[in-house]
Every structure is written in structure tokens, then in C-alpha cells.
């Protein structure tokens, strides 16, 4: 990809509603098909599951979580 303008053109062509790229609390790129899309809640279907599984894999790799069989209640003892 040559530029953010080219990326934005691809997003427009594919009829993407919104994209936000953020790194270290700084917004690097933001695109909304129109003003309404900036405020609209979007259906993201299975995206949440994909992101959560990647984050859990990273947490296991870094030793924050022992394995996928670790009960989630271990991290929220106030709800036990």
C-alpha cells in the first residue's frame, strides 16, 4: 500500500463503514463513510471473539494466564 489516501480509496470501494487505527493512545488514521457512521454502533459479529482469542493467546505467552482452562473467576475474586 503506497499511502493512506490509497488505503482510504480501498475502504470507499469496499463500502467499509468506519476504520480507526490507534497506536500508543494516538490516532494514526480515522475513516468514516459519512458523519452518521462516526456515531453509529456497528454490528461486529464474530470480530470480538477473534480479538479476544488473540489477546488470550498473548496473555498466555507472556505468563499472565496459565492456560485456556484457567477459570475467569480467578481474575475477579470479588464476584466469587
Amino acid at each position: 500500500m503506497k499511502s493512506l489516501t490509497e488505503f482510504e480509496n480501498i475502504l470507499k470501494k469496499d463500502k467499509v463503514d468506519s476504520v480507526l487505527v490507534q497506536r500508543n493512545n494516538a490516532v494514526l488514521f480515522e475513516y468514516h463513510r459519512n458523519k452518521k457512521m462516526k456515531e453509529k454502533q456497528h454490528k461486529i459479529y464474530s470480530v470480538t471473539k477473534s480479538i479476544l482469542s488473540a489477546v488470550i493467546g498473548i496473555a498466555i505467552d507472556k505468563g499472565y494466564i496459565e492456560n485456556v482452562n484457567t477459570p475467569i473467576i480467578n481474575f475477579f475474586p470479588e464476584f466469587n
Side-chain angles (χ1 to χ4, degrees):
M1 203 160 305
K2 295 180 182 178
S3 69
L4 290 177
T5 303
E6 183 180 22
F7 181 48
E8 187 170 336
N9 289 335
I10 291 168
L11 296 172
K12 287 177 184 177
K13 180 182 171 194
D14 289 341
K15 299 177 183 172
V16 173
D17 287 343
S18 298
V19 171
L20 177 70
V21 179
Q22 184 173 330
R23 182 175 186 204
N24 298 329
N25 295 321
V27 175
L28 302 177
F29 177 79
E30 187 170 0
Y31 165 82
H32 304 284
R33 187 167 38 135
N34 55 46
K35 289 180 184 181
K36 188 167 95 173
M37 291 299 152
K38 186 172 184 173
E39 303 298 325
K40 179 183 177 186
Q41 288 186 344
H42 292 75
K43 294 178 182 175
I44 56 174
Y45 302 104
S46 293
V47 171
T48 303
K49 290 184 277 189
S50 300
I51 292 170
L52 185 58
S53 66
V55 170
I56 289 171
I58 292 167
I60 291 170
D61 184 60
K62 294 189 175 266
Y64 297 123
I65 299 173
E66 187 176 341
N67 59 53
V68 294
N69 297 314
T70 303
I72 196 163
I73 196 69
N74 292 1
F75 301 99
F76 302 97
E78 64 274 18
F79 295 111
N80 198 358

